[in-house]
Amino acid sequence: SSSSSSSSSSTTSTSTTTSSSSSSSSSTGISKPCGKIPSTPRHFSKAVHADKLEQIVEKLLAPLPQAEEDKPPPTRTFGIKAMGGQGKTTLLARIARDFRVLLRFEEVVWVDVGRDRDEVNHENDENESLLSQTARHLNLDIDAKVKDRDDVIEAKLKETFGDGNNLLILLDDVWSSSHNAVQDLIAACPNCVSVVLTTRDEDIVQDLSGEDPVKLADELSLEMAEEMLREQCKTQGKSMVDLTTEDAMALVNACCKHVLAIEHVGKWLKKTCRRGKHCTPGEVLKCIQDSSKCSLSQMEIVGKKIHVCLALSFQELDGDVNLNLKRLALGISVFPEGGKIPWGALARLIERE
């Protein structure tokens, strides 16, 4: 998915794991992004966050700022900030596949960040340093057992990419506990590298870039939310659910116009309300409203959105395959909100289920 018809051809809906060894396409002159780039959901409407996509692409295509005298040119870092489930990762994936970005940069590399990046293990892909992950995705020839490996990678990056003007690094899911690791990665890269990151913490963006992040709205507009819901009810461009405007509006309002909640309810509609099945969108709406009644009037709006997302994702865990997961979720839910779950209790729940 992409924001305009001119860029939609560059986007795929399948998960991408590529290396830079063949990243430059001789037939088109467009580079190929590398790293474990998540798929762009087919049902995710092109209009969702399209203005933010254009805003970030415009920043990336702008000329590099002039360096001050006797100082190296600054690294360009841009941030996307939003609460969970609002489409930060999907927007970053769209940037990774936007044809204008791929024409501008010779290499576009995706790096999964996540929490707790202080302690790393170079032999464990799940917890390797961000610098090692970047080198691996870029296919830099680095001996895994070499001493001072990060220093070797830093030198190799500067040898391979020069000033870094043609290198774009996309950092997904940066937390305060991974802030230092991200800072170290940016410091190790060539001076003119461009960086786009996603986070829930505005302070991280301001600290790393010195400017305000691009913020995704906590909720979609009513029109955009309805469009997204209708997109989810389609198969090969044809709607599989008889969805009136009244039902569509009521459903997205019940979801607080939250991206992740709309995704869940769209799957639910497509699965249970296909033509020829007995369930109707009105019955789905009543089920959502019933599950959302428990003291929501006393909750803040953010809490309500989280509650709706949890209720709808739990609803998806139906059928024999997911029965054990559903029971496990119910077992975990008996612990008080904000409390800690003892490992022993969790282990017993897992063993039982």
Side-chain angles (χ1 to χ4, degrees):
S1 301
S2 184
S3 66
S4 61
S5 57
S6 63
S7 58
S8 61
S9 61
S10 69
T11 325
T12 63
S13 58
T14 55
S15 183
T16 303
T17 306
T18 59
S19 64
S20 66
S21 56
S22 59
S23 64
S24 210
S25 171
S26 58
S27 59
T28 64
I30 298 177
S31 63
K32 193 174 182 180
C34 57
K36 295 181 179 179
I37 306 169
S39 61
T40 303
R42 293 180 185 275
H43 56 260
F44 206 87
S45 170
K46 294 177 183 179
V48 175
H49 305 322
D51 56 333
K52 305 302 182 184
L53 173 65
E54 292 303 313
Q55 186 179 344
I56 295 168
V57 169
E58 185 178 331
K59 289 174 179 284
L60 290 172
L61 299 183
L64 290 173
Q66 292 293 323
E68 297 180 18
E69 189 175 354
D70 299 327
K71 289 185 178 181
T75 297
R76 296 192 304 171
T77 302
F78 310 112
I80 302 167
K81 183 262 178 187
M83 63 180 288
Q86 283 300 113
K88 298 185 298 295
T89 297
T90 297
L91 178 55
L92 196 66
R94 282 177 165 172
I95 294 169
R97 298 187 176 104
D98 190 284
F99 85 103
R100 297 163 294 178
V101 172
L102 297 175
L103 278 172
R104 163 63 180 83
F105 295 95
E106 291 180 8
E107 294 291 356
V108 177
V109 58
W110 180 283
V111 179
D112 290 309
V113 183
R115 305 191 196 198
D116 303 324
R117 279 285 174 179
D118 289 340
E119 295 183 10
V120 298
N121 179 356
H122 293 298
E123 297 179 358
N124 182 356
D125 284 352
E126 294 182 358
N127 198 29
E128 65 180 335
S129 74
L130 298 181
L131 198 56
S132 292
Q133 188 183 155
T134 303
R136 176 165 57 82
H137 290 324
L138 288 170
N139 262 8
L140 298 182
D141 187 17
I142 307 291
D143 187 347
K145 297 182 179 179
V146 70
K147 292 182 178 180
D148 300 321
R149 192 164 188 268
D150 284 355
D151 292 340
V152 174
I153 294 174
E154 180 177 346
K156 190 71 174 179
L157 280 170
K158 292 173 180 175
E159 175 190 334
T160 305
F161 297 105
D163 64 1
N165 179 40
N166 291 320
L167 176 62
L168 171 62
I169 298 178
L170 305 175
L171 302 174
D172 188 39
D173 197 26
V174 179
W175 292 73
S176 57
S177 57
S178 52
H179 175 275
N180 290 338
V182 168
Q183 219 166 19
D184 291 343
L185 170 63
I186 294 174
C189 290
N191 289 326
C192 294
V193 69
S194 295
V195 177
V196 182
L197 63 88
T198 67
T199 183
R200 304 182 188 199
D201 189 340
E202 184 173 350
D203 291 341
I204 288 175
V205 180
Q206 291 175 335
D207 185 55
L208 292 172
S209 68
E211 60 181 64
D212 292 332
V214 173
K215 296 180 183 179
L216 306 188
D218 286 346
E219 61 182 45
L220 302 177
S221 68
L222 192 59
E223 295 75 16
M224 193 175 295
E226 183 190 0
E227 181 181 341
M228 180 179 171
L229 183 61
R230 291 190 181 279
E231 284 290 321
Q232 289 182 282
C233 295
K234 292 179 181 179
T235 298
Q236 296 181 345
K238 183 179 179 181
S239 179
M240 306 303 293
V241 179
D242 291 321
L243 190 60
T244 66
T245 299
E246 183 181 358
D247 282 342
M249 294 290 190
L251 282 164
V252 296
N253 277 318
C255 294
C256 303
K257 300 186 284 291
H258 186 280
V259 172
L260 184 59
I262 294 171
E263 178 183 348
H264 287 314
V265 80
K267 290 179 181 177
W268 192 357
L269 285 171
K270 197 170 178 181
K271 186 173 183 179
T272 62
C273 300
R274 280 174 173 265
R275 293 190 178 100
K277 293 199 173 185
H278 299 298
C279 185
T280 66
E283 290 171 325
V284 170
L285 173 62
K286 186 176 184 306
C287 191
I288 294 172
Q289 290 170 335
D290 288 345
S291 70
S292 301
K293 281 180 181 175
C294 53
S295 66
L296 287 182
S297 59
Q298 301 172 8
M299 298 173 69
E300 295 180 357
I301 188 65
V302 172
K304 182 177 179 181
K305 290 176 182 177
I306 293 170
H307 178 92
V308 170
C309 288
L310 287 172
L312 291 172
S313 59
F314 181 75
Q315 180 68 31
E316 284 187 40
L317 294 174
D318 58 356
D320 294 338
V321 175
N322 290 318
L323 183 58
N324 288 344
L325 280 177
K326 204 162 188 174
R327 287 176 176 164
L328 179 60
L330 287 171
I332 292 173
S333 72
V334 303
F335 293 93
E337 182 179 355
K340 293 184 178 180
I341 302 176
W343 278 114
L346 184 59
R348 285 194 294 275
L349 281 169
I350 293 170
E351 287 169 3
R352 188 187 71 187
E353 301 302 346

